[in-house]
Amino acid sequence: MGDRGNSGAGMAGNEREQRRNLPPLRLHVPEPRFRPGDVADFSDLEIPAAGMMPRPDEGADAATMRDLAYGLVRVLDEDGQAVGAWDPKLPPETLLRMLRAMALTRAFDQRMFRAQRQGKTSFYMKSTGEEAVSVAAAAALASDDMCFPSYRQQGVLIARGWPIIDMMNQIYSNKGDRLKGRQLPIMYSAREASFFSISGNLATQYPQAVGWAMASAARGDTRIAATWCGEGSTAEGDFHSACIFASVYRAPVILNVVNNQWAISSFSGFAGAEATTFAARAIGYGIAGLRIDGNDALAVHAATRWAADRARANHGPTLIEHFTYRAEGHSTSDDPSAYRSADEGSQWPLGDPIARLKQHCIALGIWDEDRHAAMDKELAEEVRDAAREAEKNGILGHGLHHPMETMFEDVFEEMPWHLKEQQQAMLDEWKAAGL
Amino acid sequence: MSMIQAINSALDVMMERDPDVVVMGEDVGYFGGVFRATAGLQAKYGKNRVFDTPITEIGIIGVAIGMGAYGLRPVPEIQFADYIYPALDQLVSEAARLRYRSAGEFIAPMTVRSPFGGGIFGGQTHSQSPEGIFTHVSGIKTVIPSTPYDAKGLLIAAIQDNDPVIFFEPKRIYNGPFDGHYDRPAKSWAGHPGAMVPAGYYRVPLGQARTVREGEALTILCYGAMEHVVESTVSEMGVDAEIIDLRTLVPLDIEAVERSVKKTGRCLIVHEATRTSGFGAELSALVQERCFYHLEAPVERVTGFDTPYPHSLEWAYFPGPVRIGEAINKIMRD
Ligand SMILES: Cc1ncc(C[n+]2csc(CCOP(=O)(O)OP(=O)(O)O)c2C)c(N)n1
């Protein structure tokens, strides 16, 4: 350690002598259970049976709900039956609408992932395995409740019926892109859909959602806010700032944590999962916390509706941990086989959210395999046709983008002299170069 | 050796030599970093010395200060320079001032590595060049290599330095020198003189610029990925420019700048960062303060525009051969 060490500063000689006999301190660095080559086995994971968790009144004092932050709210059982107090008892139309939006989200992801691989855009992120988290939540919210999503909630836009061509135009950064080609693909913004502009900086949307909810409350509005981040992102200071504001002002906001087990190559242990649950973060702030099966669309819907009702009745915020699994890579730039066991996804004990909702609908007698197969085919075609349409507006790097000078617009409401000068200089330079 | 391999090698050499050196950051452990800069280090040096961190940049830097206060030499990675902003308070208010406010009692001997710069279609939050923010702060050193050789030598010098160092890695040239022609195939480092990297220990001292090319017609001051764009533009134009790669912005090799500008009488400054209050403004002021009577033309700057980094128009934004060529012509006309 040399002379720079400050560790012994101020310590008397005999005190140091006494410590010689103490065991050396150890640093604990978490390690995920399975690495490439390991056989994944989740049999010891505690998964309570569906229907076990109590459903408190929406106005319940957060302090009485401690157990819900450590349990796992599940509605769909192994046979696809909806059981227990959290069963939202949704009408068939709602169930089938959710199923369709989830399947469309998956088809969209598949197509856009392929488009990236074909060089039509720079980047893509799938939400495979997490479709229930976004779609069922959107179905439980009012269409004008304001969403502050992270980058893996494309399902919210899709569930709200936002045109997928518009989303594709954004992904291709083409001349049809309402964001004028300025944002990384999938960083949507859709004010009309009450969908806040996505940032690449993790967790920044969290306090913003709380601020929006506080404003809505201060104005006596009836709209609430919802926000999402990954479990990895809960480590950011912004997450904690959001919780304290939400708690202090009883903001009408739903704070969703999508615990998909992985943050790029870092497993949830690096966000603190070895010590506690993410829903339990709520307890220290006096916020209601629910830990739910994120692959169970009915649980997601029920918890979101519960939290929304709670917020609308001025009982304040809810933090919902969606326990789920990131079935694919982090993004098109990622290769998960380099850091996690290859069969983890298939061994994941909570199954696939689409398969589970489909099974439920079939068990109810409102759906069957043939209709499902037909729907998948139809959605694949819908997505393919939309992609072809969107490609007519251009794909990334093939010239069909917004004109270069638009780069300088929207920095400020009015363009100051220095930007005007830079804009002109750029045009002159390209012209002089014959381009 | 590519730049990424050179950086990996520098970390390896320093971890081998000095048990106080620890590497930390998002995804740097088992996986070896999203750009593979720390690949293999955890397997070799163990989890006590190479570990993943929670995703909190301000936490990473604050913890690194504490480790430094204990006596370690942390080398934290911020995954993209764009994510250094959440760490700003710990860097600016704490790390940069610790020595000063404690009159030398405590120091923050850390080297914050971070990939920076554009040209990879990274959009607004994977493309920025925030060096000007740090050169504006007293107490932090700012280092930016442009070749694998320099990356290794400078990183070793930075890790050995007792002050906090921001070490920005131009990610556009991690795997090959980039000449600014985005429509040409990428080159590899193989065969580039700057890619001849010794296996073991060596230093490139902080505060010394490198003359990339000697010339008489004008001086071009640049650093990072821009060095290669400038070099190829100059050779394509056949202009007799002197190219100075600054290598460290703070401390700056002012003598190298002064000597060259006084010799050529003309000065062009090139950087990717936005223009207003960028490091080019400081350079320009220094040149006019110290070389005014030698100047035959106004100092020119080619920089990023004062807009956020646009995704689809990346190539119009990135200061490339077109803009640099125009600026050279303008300076030579005057
Ligand atoms: C402030 C900030 N730091 C780092 C990153 C780089 N980064 C992008 S995604 C990611 C992992 C996030 O994981 P998690 O929050 O669990 O969400 P998931 O991707 O699993 O949905 C990281 C580290 C970033 N985008 N922003």
Side-chain angles (χ1 to χ4, degrees):
Chain A
M1 206 71 63
D3 296 334
R4 281 177 299 106
N6 298 312
S7 51
M11 200 195 275
N14 57 349
E15 198 184 331
R16 202 181 304 219
E17 201 58 41
Q18 279 166 15
R19 291 210 184 157
R20 281 254 161 84
N21 297 324
L22 293 178
L25 296 167
R26 269 196 313 269
L27 183 68
H28 172 68
V29 181
E31 188 59 36
R33 301 201 300 163
F34 317 113
R35 285 297 193 187
D38 293 342
V39 177
D41 176 8
F42 291 106
S43 55
D44 59 339
L45 203 70
E46 262 186 66
I47 308 279
M52 297 290 281
M53 300 303 293
R55 182 183 182 283
D57 182 76
E58 284 87 351
D61 186 344
T64 65
M65 299 177 37
R66 225 175 156 273
D67 290 351
L68 281 158
Y70 295 102
L72 197 66
V73 172
R74 307 181 68 220
V75 174
L76 289 173
D77 71 9
E78 309 309 313
D79 306 320
Q81 303 288 344
V83 294
W86 283 95
D87 177 5
K89 304 213 163 55
L90 298 175
E93 316 85 80
T94 308
L95 293 171
L96 293 177
R97 212 174 47 236
M98 290 199 314
L99 185 64
R100 189 180 178 88
M102 284 162 64
L104 178 54
T105 302
R106 187 164 294 180
F108 182 85
D109 277 352
Q110 270 161 3
R111 186 88 205 178
M112 291 296 98
F113 184 90
R114 191 138 43 94
Q116 192 277 341
R117 289 290 187 250
Q118 292 166 338
K120 292 174 181 171
T121 190
S122 56
F123 180 78
Y124 193 72
M125 291 175 111
K126 287 175 156 186
S127 64
T128 312
E130 303 172 39
E131 293 90 349
V133 169
S134 51
V135 168
L141 293 168
S143 63
D144 58 354
D145 286 335
M146 188 71 179
C147 293
F148 289 78
S150 172
Y151 46 66
R152 231 183 277 284
Q153 282 79 49
Q154 51 267 54
V156 169
L157 267 184
I158 288 177
R160 285 189 164 174
W162 193 254
I164 56 171
I165 290 192
D166 193 80
M167 297 168 74
M168 289 168 170
N169 285 336
Q170 198 281 324
I171 289 165
Y172 291 141
S173 276
N174 61 24
K175 67 183 168 63
D177 175 11
R178 287 174 310 109
L179 312 184
K180 302 189 190 172
R182 292 175 184 151
Q183 268 278 47
L184 202 64
I186 69 152
M187 300 275 170
Y188 312 108
S189 178
R191 196 190 158 110
E192 264 179 82
S194 296
F195 188 96
F196 191 71
S197 164
I198 297 174
S199 173
N201 286 50
L202 297 170
T204 51
Q205 73 280 12
Y206 245 65
Q208 296 161 4
V210 174
W212 196 96
M214 286 170 61
S216 182
R219 278 286 171 85
D221 201 335
T222 58
R223 291 173 297 164
I224 64 168
T227 184
W228 288 260
C229 76
E231 86 291 342
S233 303
T234 61
E236 292 284 6
D238 284 9
F239 173 85
H240 301 275
S241 310
C243 288
I244 191 64
F245 270 80
S247 169
V248 167
Y249 299 99
R250 277 186 218 156
V253 64
I254 305 176
L255 306 166
N256 294 287
V257 175
V258 184
N259 178 4
N260 64 10
Q261 314 302 324
W262 290 93
I264 312 187
S265 77
S266 306
F267 85 115
S268 57
F270 284 104
E274 287 184 344
T276 186
T277 70
F278 294 96
R281 297 269 185 272
I283 292 172
Y285 292 101
I287 294 175
L290 300 175
R291 187 159 175 272
I292 71 166
D293 178 348
N295 288 12
D296 176 345
L298 296 189
V300 174
H301 191 289
T304 306
R305 180 56 63 75
W306 185 93
D309 288 348
R310 181 176 175 85
R312 277 190 236 285
N314 287 307
H315 297 299
T318 303
L319 195 161
I320 304 176
E321 173 184 349
H322 302 258
F323 198 66
T324 180
Y325 188 81
R326 195 192 76 209
E328 302 257 353
H330 171 75
S331 71
T332 43
S333 315
D334 181 42
D335 172 15
S337 71
Y339 54 79
R340 67 181 187 187
S341 159
D343 65 359
E344 244 189 53
S346 59
Q347 293 304 311
W348 182 246
L350 296 177
D352 176 85
I354 298 181
R356 285 175 66 191
L357 184 57
K358 170 180 126 184
Q359 184 196 19
H360 176 59
C361 293
I362 292 174
L364 284 179
I366 59 170
W367 197 239
D368 56 51
E369 291 288 357
D370 289 347
R371 272 188 275 181
H372 196 89
M375 178 181 77
D376 273 346
K377 188 160 169 283
E378 183 198 326
L379 291 175
E381 278 162 17
E382 179 182 336
V383 166
R384 185 199 58 207
D385 294 347
R388 284 192 185 146
E389 273 313 298
E391 282 170 29
K392 288 185 191 155
N393 292 324
I395 53 174
L396 186 65
H398 285 247
L400 275 176
H401 45 60
H402 285 270
M404 290 207 298
E405 57 272 26
T406 62
M407 194 199 318
F408 297 87
E409 295 167 4
D410 305 311
V411 180
F412 298 102
E413 187 171 13
E414 272 174 46
M415 201 184 292
W417 67 268
H418 67 287
L419 284 175
K420 282 188 193 148
E421 240 180 63
Q422 291 175 22
Q423 187 184 40
Q424 194 54 51
M426 180 191 76
L427 292 172
D428 291 347
E429 278 159 358
W430 285 82
K431 203 164 137 205
L435 294 160
Chain B
M1 215 183 256
S2 74
M3 186 177 280
I4 213 70
Q5 289 164 332
I7 288 161
N8 186 269
S9 171
L11 293 169
D12 190 9
V13 165
M14 286 312 293
M15 294 201 78
E16 178 99 54
R17 282 171 72 100
D18 183 353
D20 291 343
V21 174
V22 296
V23 166
M24 58 195 280
E26 296 158 17
D27 299 294
V28 304
Y30 182 90
F31 185 52
V34 292
F35 290 103
R36 319 301 295 144
T38 57
L41 296 177
Q42 188 179 70
K44 193 159 170 193
Y45 298 104
K47 290 200 293 177
N48 269 358
R49 294 185 63 201
V50 184
F51 50 86
D52 289 331
T53 61
I55 304 174
T56 163
E57 290 72 16
I58 195 151
I60 292 169
I61 301 302
V63 162
I65 292 173
M67 293 185 142
Y70 180 88
L72 302 187
R73 281 186 183 277
V75 188
E77 174 180 298
I78 300 293
Q79 203 160 74
F80 284 89
D82 312 69
Y83 307 138
I84 214 160
Y85 300 120
L88 223 49
D89 189 42
Q90 285 286 353
L91 279 169
V92 173
S93 315
E94 306 301 323
R97 295 181 201 160
L98 190 57
R99 175 190 295 282
Y100 195 75
R101 76 180 191 213
S102 67
E105 263 190 355
F106 291 100
I107 58 170
M110 68 168 85
T111 302
V112 183
R113 293 182 37 249
S114 194
F116 91 126
I120 60 151
F121 276 114
Q124 321 197 343
T125 55
H126 301 84
S127 305
Q128 294 165 82
S129 301
E131 67 272 19
I133 286 174
F134 294 100
T135 61
H136 190 63
V137 171
S138 320
I140 281 188
K141 293 177 177 167
T142 304
V143 179
I144 301 174
S146 71
T147 66
Y149 179 87
D150 280 2
K152 178 168 175 183
L154 288 166
L155 182 52
I156 287 175
I159 293 172
Q160 290 183 325
D161 199 282
N162 281 332
D163 288 312
V165 178
I166 302 284
F167 191 87
F168 280 136
E169 300 166 3
K171 60 179 162 319
R172 188 66 185 80
I173 57 171
Y174 265 158
N175 295 312
F178 175 62
D179 62 9
H181 291 279
Y182 61 91
D183 45 358
R184 290 187 196 165
K187 275 187 274 188
S188 97
W189 278 111
H192 190 282
M196 308 276 280
V197 180
Y201 172 90
Y202 67 92
R203 286 163 60 98
V204 173
L206 308 187
Q208 283 184 17
R210 177 173 68 100
T211 304
V212 178
R213 180 190 188 285
E214 296 197 10
E216 302 293 331
L218 82 159
T219 297
I220 307 183
L221 305 177
C222 54
Y223 50 89
M226 283 298 133
E227 188 266 281
H228 302 277
V229 182
V230 165
E231 211 183 328
S232 81
T233 308
V234 162
S235 73
E236 278 162 25
M237 292 174 77
V239 51
D240 186 22
E242 181 145 303
I243 303 174
I244 309 282
D245 172 10
L246 297 174
R247 295 205 286 206
T248 62
L249 307 189
V250 175
L252 179 70
D253 187 348
I254 187 66
E255 276 159 38
V257 172
E258 216 177 308
R259 197 181 326 116
S260 178
V261 177
K262 281 183 177 162
K263 180 176 86 173
T264 64
R266 293 170 208 267
C267 179
L268 170 66
I269 297 157
V270 183
H271 65 59
E272 272 185 75
T274 49
R275 187 181 188 86
T276 301
S277 304
F279 192 67
E282 178 61 31
L283 285 172
S284 169
L286 284 169
V287 165
Q288 84 87 34
E289 279 165 10
R290 291 164 183 257
C291 312
F292 184 75
Y293 295 106
H294 295 80
L295 285 175
E296 287 164 43
V299 177
E300 282 285 322
R301 283 180 285 165
V302 175
T303 67
F305 299 120
D306 288 335
T307 74
Y309 216 99
H311 182 245
S312 67
L313 296 172
E314 170 152 304
W315 295 119
Y317 185 96
F318 195 87
V322 168
R323 292 171 60 201
I324 294 168
E326 286 297 310
I328 292 174
N329 287 336
K330 180 159 180 242
I331 293 182
M332 297 315 296
R333 268 199 309 271
D334 279 327

